[in-house]
Amino acid sequence: MEDIKIGLETHLQLLSDSKLFCGCPTSGSDEPNTRVCPTCLGMPGSKPRVNKGVIEMGMKIVEALNCEMPEEMNFSRKTYFYPDMPKNFQTTQFAIPLGRNGELTLDLDGEERTVRIKRVHLEEDPGKLRHVGGEITSADHVLIDYNRSGVPLCEIVTKPDLRSPKEARIFLKKLTEVFEYLEVYDSSSEASLRSDANISTGGERAEVKNITGFSGVEKALRYEIKRQENLRKRGKDVKRETRAYNEESGVTKSLREKEFEEEYGYIFEPDLTRIELTENWVEECTQDLPELPHEKKKRYVKEYKVSEEVAETICSDFDMTKVFEKILDKLNVETVSNLLAGPVKKVLNYHDMRFSESKLNADKLLKTAEMLENEEITERNAEMIIRRIAVNDERPENVKEEKGFGKTSSGELEDLVDKILEKNKEAVEDYKDGKEEALNHLMGQVMQESDGNADPQETRELLKKRIER
């Protein structure tokens, strides 16, 4: 639908050891309400103090997203009365955010699309609610853990430039890649990414709150688009409201009428002074920004002559690029890049984990790539080895030995192909009659007979040669 307009307000937890306005740790004990102090519990008389390191992370983010940065910034009080906010206000940024008017460019099926960034600001996380006996709209009662209260967040607010749930997912993926390259974000941390999605399909917009993960945002938006379409088909108007997304049922439910900004009663935070962002300070924080994903991708294509697709796959995981560049000078570029973009990425996707969450490392992959390049194993063997060493603390050469992996010699392969052709005369005739799938059947028979040790390309060429002679 051409009328679809989507804007995202995305909160990413910043990689800080301590909270935004106090010295309490952001990780450690999981016992509820143990990583707290009078400040993050909002006790009367407690005073906040700003975490300088978080502001410096914010400066890097603002620079990486091509935003305008003010000469000074301040914090504000956003007043609302929910049990997860003990002070009855959230300390955030409103009138003077850390960044404005930025952009992030996406690659959408080969076409570039620029998504405008309205604002980038820092704020504290509220506590964590646990709904007992039901979901948010039906729970018997609610328990509150304030361990997360005060954890530093960076909120990225876009203009309504996204046109589909798929584009929203791609945007979030690209955004988190930038944060990971800046080393200010860890995707594996609790509640590391939450999005509020504002969506309109031609009329009033609805806001869907607190959606977690890339796929969660895509699914929630797909449901909400269909819900709004069905309302209009029945002659009903779409209400401006806030809705909650239930991940288990895959539906959104109404929470309340949508608030307007003025309803939050923003005021400057009187317990914190304005912070001057001096030219020297900004330059010190931003002069050594790392090579960002899109820059690295272009360099890989130009310098290493890998395909756009392979470069995109490797660059989508910052830790994978580190390994790629570490072992690159020891092996053929094609061997290393194809191993990472192929078997490694396939196995990581299967287990739904990042490279850093796996048992893989540069040494293991170097050894696997060496065995592949030296024709000690086949590509199929390499994938089987990757499957094992990605989740287990094992050496690739030990897995090779245990499984009996080893590339079938040319002489053994010739004998094996002759044997398979003799046993599958009907498939041979089918291939001669132009049925390509018959060759795939014969390939499968050879691979099965060789326990995956036959080289696929060599096998295919030998089968054709033997059949056509």
Side-chain angles (χ1 to χ4, degrees), residues 330-393:
K330 299 178 176 67
L331 291 166
N332 180 278
V333 171
E334 186 177 2
T335 302
V336 179
S337 60
N338 288 342
L339 184 68
L340 290 173
V344 171
K345 190 65 175 179
K346 183 179 177 181
V347 171
L348 293 177
N349 287 343
Y350 177 81
H351 290 286
D352 191 25
M353 62 184 177
R354 306 284 291 173
F355 189 93
S356 60
E357 298 170 301
S358 74
K359 300 289 187 181
L360 297 172
N361 57 38
D363 187 46
K364 286 183 177 182
L365 290 174
L366 175 60
K367 183 60 181 177
T368 305
E370 283 178 342
M371 292 190 296
L372 186 60
E373 189 166 285
N374 296 333
E375 298 188 346
E376 297 174 36
I377 59 174
T378 65
E379 291 182 6
R380 172 65 176 167
N381 294 156
E383 183 174 335
M384 299 301 289
I385 289 172
I386 294 297
R387 289 182 187 181
R388 281 275 294 272
I389 65 177
V391 295
N392 299 307
D393 193 16

Side-chain angles (χ1 to χ4, degrees), residues 136 291 302 343 348 407:
I136 189 171
E291 187 179 38
K302 182 179 180 180
L348 293 177
K407 187 175 177 182

Side-chain angles (χ1 to χ4, degrees), residues 24 46 101 107 146 176 183 188-189 203 268 327 338 348 388 401 404 413 438 440-441 462:
C24 291
S46 61
N101 302 324
D107 184 351
Y146 288 115
T176 55
E183 299 187 85
S188 64
S189 60
F268 289 124
I327 66 177
N338 288 342
L348 293 177
R388 281 275 294 272
E401 188 69 26
L413 184 58
N440 294 332
H441 170 74
L462 187 56

Side-chain angles (χ1 to χ4, degrees), residues 11-17 26-28 30 35 125 128 148 151-153 176 179-180 184-194 212-213 354 356-357:
H11 303 81
L12 295 107
Q13 179 178 328
L14 295 178
L15 201 56
S16 171
D17 292 333
T26 56
S27 62
D30 291 327
R35 291 185 276 113
D125 206 3
K128 181 180 180 181
R148 288 194 56 80
V151 166
L153 304 177
T176 55
F179 273 59
E180 287 180 332
V184 300
Y185 166 78
D186 178 7
S187 61
S188 64
S189 60
E190 180 194 10
S192 61
L193 181 147
R194 298 194 303 272
T212 58
R354 306 284 291 173
S356 60
E357 298 170 301

